[in-house]
Amino acid sequence: MSMTNGETGMRDWTDKATRERLEKDIAAVKSDIATLTEQITDALNTFANSAGKQARRGYRQARQNMDSAMDDISDRGGAMMDAAQDAYGSIEETLEDAITQRPLATVGLALGIGFLIGIAWRR
């Protein structure tokens, strides 16, 4: 019985030396895959740490901006309150002076305003 090329190839495939070479190649590929997995894991961890640091920096910056804006709003609110109090004091002094200087005119003005309000209220 003669051997064909296929049978010869099968014999080479099952040959001990070929099998050992294939096992070494497979072991090398497994080692390369394990090394690559470690490198990818390290790269992802580095990326995650970097992203976390950037997020914390962004949070701190936003917090500082918010604190600054709140301080500005508080300062402006305080200034507006002071201005309103000054205006109220000024109006109060002006009315007090007008009442003191012209008491009859003030009473007449109050009666006129009361009359106008009464007419408007009726309608």
Side-chain angles (χ1 to χ4, degrees):
M1 206 166 150
S2 68
M3 286 189 167
T4 63
N5 285 341
E7 290 174 352
T8 305
M10 287 298 282
R11 188 185 293 165
D12 288 343
W13 176 260
T14 58
D15 186 60
K16 186 177 180 180
T18 304
R19 193 175 327 143
E20 288 175 359
R21 188 168 25 107
L22 286 174
E23 287 174 359
K24 285 181 185 178
D25 288 346
I26 290 172
V29 169
K30 284 181 181 180
S31 174
D32 289 344
I33 289 172
T35 302
L36 183 61
T37 302
E38 288 176 17
Q39 290 174 349
I40 290 172
T41 302
D42 290 343
L44 288 175
N45 287 336
T46 301
F47 176 73
N49 289 337
S50 176
K53 287 178 183 177
Q54 284 181 328
R56 284 188 292 276
R57 257 186 266 134
Y59 171 75
R60 274 187 251 129
Q61 183 65 35
R63 175 94 183 193
Q64 289 172 352
N65 290 345
M66 182 59 91
D67 289 344
S68 176
M70 291 302 289
D71 289 342
D72 288 346
I73 290 170
S74 177
D75 292 344
R76 289 179 185 175
M80 292 172 83
M81 189 65 158
D82 290 342
Q85 287 175 344
D86 290 344
Y88 174 75
S90 167
I91 290 172
E92 182 181 21
E93 288 175 9
T94 303
L95 284 174
E96 195 173 299
D97 289 343
I99 291 170
T100 305
Q101 291 176 3
R102 298 186 182 124
L104 291 177
T106 305
V107 170
L109 181 64
L111 286 172
I113 292 174
F115 180 73
L116 291 174
I117 290 174
I119 290 173
W121 190 268
R122 220 182 263 179
R123 290 184 184 179

